[in-house]
Amino acid sequence: AVTPGTTNLCEGLITDKAAHKMSAMAAPTKGQTITDPEFGTTIRRITAVNPGEGDKAVIVPMYGTMQAWNADESKLILYHRGSGHELYDGKTYAFIKKLPLESPSDIEHINWDPIDPDTLYYPSNYNAQPRFMKYSVSTGTNTVLRKFDSCENATLSFGAGPMTMSLLNSDKIVGIKCGDTKFMYSITKDKILGTLTIPGDDAPTPGLVGEVTYLEGKIYDMSMNVLRTLTLGNSNEHASIGYSPASGHSVYTAVAFDPPAGVSETATVGSLVVTDMITGTYKVIIGMATGYPYPKSGTHVSAIAYKNPAWVAVSSIGDGTGQSLLDNELLLANIDSGLVCRVAHHHSMARNGPWGYWAEPHVVISPTGTRLLFGSDWSGGDSVDSYVVELPSYVR
C-alpha cells in the first residue's frame, strides 16, 4: 500500500462553482510571477521563447500523462519545437542544456525514473534500430538497455496516447508497442512480462502499482491476459493512470463526453471521472452529477502525482475568454475525498487561437502535487511558453 501525503493541496483555494470571469492581463516576464486575480494563486513564467523563431516559437510540456519533473523535482524537461527536448532546473527553472537523446520515438515518449532523479528512459529507433534507452543526466550518456530485434520492421514506441510507467512499483514496468505487438517490460528485471498481438495504435499502460495494465478499454494482467472490459462511454478520450490510496488500486482517470451505453448522461459525464482498474467501479468527480457543466473542449487530465497520490490536475479550454465555470481553467481534485478546487486561468486560446494544438495547456502535475505546469499562448500571443502554478503548499 502507498501512504498518501497529508497535505490538503486545496487549502486556501476556491472550491465554489460560481463564474469567476477571467481578467485580461499581460503575461509575466520570464522568471517573474503574477497573482491570478480570480483565484489568488501564483503563476510563474518559466520560458520566453524568441518570437523571431516563427512557428518554432514554442516551449511546452511534453504531455499531461508524462512526468515533466524528475523524482526529487530538481530537474524539469520541456519540449522546444524544432529544437528538441530541453533540461531545466526543476526549482529555479534555469535552462541547463539541450538533451542529446538518440531520436525518441515521439515528443511525449520519455519517462523519468520514479526513484533515481538522474535517469530517464525512452524508446528509440535511431538508425532504424529498435532499442529501449537509458539516459544519465549527470554524465550525458545514452545506454541501450534492450534491443527489440523482432521489431525491425516497425516502430518501437509508447503508442499514440502515451501514459506513464508503474511509478509505485519497484519493477519499473512500461508498456511498449511494435506494430501490432504489445509488450509489458520490466526495466528493473530487464524482462518482457507479457506479450499480446492485437491491432491498435496504443501501447498498454501499467497501473501505478503495477498490478494490472490498461489497453483500449480493457484491463489485462501483466502477462497480457484480459481480465475485464471497463464500462466507458468512449475508451479513447484524454485520460491518465493514477492511484487511489483509499482503495489501494490503480485507477483510470479521464474526461467523459459520452455516457456508457444505457446509462444516464447526467450521472456519468464529466471533466474528471474515475474508474477503479481492479473493481471497475466508476464515479464522477467533476461532472454533471456533482454540479459542474458538461465538460469543455480540450480537457486533459494529469494523475501522476505519485508522491501525493489521489490528487489529479485538469486543464480545460472551452471558451478562450474564460467567462464561465471551467472555461480556460486549471483545476485540482482529490479522487478519494471528492474535494475540487479551481486553481487558475491558463490564458491560452489553444485551438481557438493562432497556435492551435501547440497552445493546449496539457497541464502536468508535479510528483508531490504542489505545482502545476502548463503551456499557454497567453491570449493568442506571438509565442507559446511554459508557466507553473506554485500552490500554497509548495515550498520554493
Side-chain angles (χ1 to χ4, degrees):
V2 177
T3 302
T6 57
T7 303
N8 175 11
L9 300 181
C10 280
E11 186 71 36
L13 301 183
I14 289 176
T15 58
D16 66 23
K17 300 180 180 70
H20 294 273
K21 297 182 179 182
M22 184 175 73
S23 302
M25 61 189 308
T29 57
K30 181 182 177 182
Q32 300 304 304
T33 64
I34 58 170
T35 299
D36 186 287
E38 289 73 48
F39 300 113
T41 46
T42 299
I43 301 175
R44 186 180 300 275
R45 183 175 183 171
I46 64 172
T47 68
V49 63
N50 182 357
E53 293 187 26
D55 65 359
K56 303 298 192 294
V58 175
I59 302 179
V60 290
M62 292 182 290
Y63 201 54
T65 60
M66 310 302 284
Q67 290 287 358
W69 280 275
N70 62 350
D72 63 3
E73 300 190 19
S74 64
K75 300 292 188 296
L76 173 72
I77 293 178
L78 298 173
Y79 181 77
H80 188 161
R81 189 180 186 189
S83 180
H85 295 90
E86 297 177 342
L87 186 69
Y88 292 76
D89 188 284
K91 298 183 187 253
T92 68
Y93 311 114
F95 173 82
I96 297 175
K97 65 179 179 179
K98 180 178 176 180
L99 288 171
L101 306 178
E102 294 184 359
S103 300
S105 53
D106 210 328
I107 293 170
E108 306 99 338
H109 293 192
I110 295 175
N111 267 310
W112 280 109
D113 188 290
I115 299 171
D116 178 5
D118 189 58
T119 299
L120 57 83
Y121 309 102
Y122 63 98
S124 169
N125 298 275
Y126 184 66
N127 284 339
Q129 298 295 313
R131 301 169 300 171
F132 193 78
M133 307 293 294
K134 171 183 175 180
Y135 176 79
S136 168
V137 171
S138 60
T139 65
T141 56
N142 290 281
T143 304
V144 178
L145 288 184
R146 188 181 186 100
K147 295 181 180 179
F148 284 79
D149 294 330
S150 62
C151 191
E152 288 187 355
N153 296 318
T155 299
L156 188 73
S157 79
F158 287 149
M163 292 195 238
T164 193
M165 62 194 293
S166 60
L167 298 169
L168 297 170
N169 181 291
S170 60
D171 285 346
K172 301 179 185 177
I173 302 167
V174 294
I176 311 173
K177 75 179 293 287
C178 171
D180 290 338
T181 303
K182 317 296 168 69
F183 303 95
M184 298 309 302
Y185 171 63
S186 167
I187 296 170
T188 302
K189 296 178 178 178
D190 185 23
K191 179 181 179 181
I192 294 175
L193 305 177
T195 304
L196 175 69
T197 301
I198 185 173
D201 295 331
D202 291 332
T205 300
L208 288 204
V209 289
E211 75 276 53
V212 290
T213 189
Y214 171 88
L215 178 61
E216 297 182 350
K218 290 183 170 59
I219 300 298
Y220 298 79
D221 63 19
M222 285 297 113
S223 298
M224 294 306 295
N225 300 304
V226 67
L227 300 176
R228 67 187 58 82
T229 299
L230 297 184
T231 305
L232 303 171
N234 184 344
S235 62
N236 293 314
E237 301 290 11
H238 294 139
S240 181
I241 302 295
Y243 176 79
S244 164
S247 68
H249 300 163
S250 296
V251 293
Y252 178 81
T253 71
V255 56
F257 292 99
D258 303 300
V263 182
S264 161
E265 177 181 82
T266 302
T268 55
V269 164
S271 301
L272 178 61
V273 298
V274 180
T275 305
D276 189 302
M277 292 172 64
I278 302 299
T279 67
T281 304
Y282 179 104
K283 64 179 178 179
V284 176
I285 304 297
I286 303 173
M288 300 169 76
T290 55
Y292 293 87
Y294 186 83
K296 305 294 182 176
S297 61
T299 298
H300 284 78
V301 179
S302 183
I304 51 178
Y306 65 101
K307 295 190 175 182
N308 209 345
W311 291 97
V312 177
V314 177
S315 58
S316 63
I317 299 169
D319 177 2
T321 63
Q323 298 300 293
S324 59
L325 176 60
L326 301 183
D327 283 325
N328 209 270
E329 286 193 30
L330 304 175
L331 301 98
L332 187 64
N334 187 296
I335 60 172
D336 284 341
S337 70
L339 178 64
V340 178
C341 53
R342 297 162 67 190
V343 176
H345 285 116
H346 54 71
H347 290 266
S348 192
M349 295 184 68
R351 293 181 188 267
N352 301 317
W355 292 95
Y357 179 81
W358 284 103
E360 291 203 354
H362 291 158
V363 67
V364 185
I365 194 167
S366 69
T368 58
T370 58
R371 288 182 285 177
L372 306 184
L373 168 71
F374 65 97
S376 176
D377 63 15
W378 210 270
S379 301
D382 54 8
S383 67
V384 184
D385 279 291
S386 289
Y387 300 79
V388 172
V389 179
E390 297 172 345
L391 298 174
S393 54
Y394 175 63
V395 178
R396 186 172 168 82

